């Protein structure tokens, strides 16, 4: 069967140019105060060309996050009705940031 497939299927040259390599930037997302349950992580703004969509919920924090572009990223954390201030980071220079969730009732 393999021999027949080799005879009848056209040969493909998969090498179309130099191999593309994707750069991934690992960023640590911290939460303050540290005794909170997991906080929802929201993406507010991305650098041009990112495959991540703005206003997307990226899961929970604290965690490590993989980013696909250099540039300015803006994040916000939320827990129930409480929201952190937006936090902007410059990748690759900054590789961690903290979401500060205000106390309940503020």
């Amino acid at each position: 069967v393999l021999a027949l497939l080799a005879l009848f299927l056209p040969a493909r040259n998969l090498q179309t140019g130099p191999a593309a390599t994707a750069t991934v930037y690992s960023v640590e997302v911290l939460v303050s105060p540290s005794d909170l349950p997991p906080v929802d992580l929201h993406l507010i703004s991305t650098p041009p060309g990112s495959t991540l969509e703005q206003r997307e919920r990226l899961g929970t924090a604290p965690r490590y996050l993989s980013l696909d572009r250099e540039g300015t990223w803006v994040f916000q954390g939320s827990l129930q009705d409480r929201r952190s201030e937006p936090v902007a980071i410059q990748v690759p220079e900054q590789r961690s940031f903290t979401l500060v969730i205000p106390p309940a009732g503020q």
Side-chain angles (χ1 to χ4, degrees), residues 41-46 52-58 74-76 83 86:
L41 177 62
H42 305 277
L43 179 58
I44 304 300
S45 177
T46 65
L52 297 174
E53 294 188 25
Q54 296 178 20
R55 302 291 178 192
E56 183 175 349
R57 183 181 172 276
L58 299 177
V74 181
F75 300 93
Q76 187 173 41
R83 289 194 171 271

Side-chain angles (χ1 to χ4, degrees), residues 7-83:
L7 287 174
F8 291 107
L9 290 178
R12 295 185 200 173
N13 183 1
L14 299 177
Q15 187 69 16
T16 59
T21 58
T23 302
V24 176
Y25 302 95
S26 181
V27 174
E28 184 177 21
V29 184
L30 303 169
V31 174
S32 177
S34 60
D35 62 346
L36 292 174
V39 169
D40 288 330
L41 177 62
H42 305 277
L43 179 58
I44 304 300
S45 177
T46 65
S50 173
T51 59
L52 297 174
E53 294 188 25
Q54 296 178 20
R55 302 291 178 192
E56 183 175 349
R57 183 181 172 276
L58 299 177
T60 59
R63 66 178 286 182
Y64 281 90
L65 185 61
S66 296
L67 304 178
D68 62 355
R69 290 285 188 261
E70 291 184 8
T72 302
W73 293 80
V74 181
F75 300 93
Q76 187 173 41
S78 67
L79 179 64
Q80 297 165 348
D81 61 344
R82 300 182 280 168
R83 289 194 171 271

Side-chain angles (χ1 to χ4, degrees), residues 1 29 49 59 76 84 95 98:
V1 172
V29 184
Q76 187 173 41
S84 72
R95 295 297 185 102
T98 301

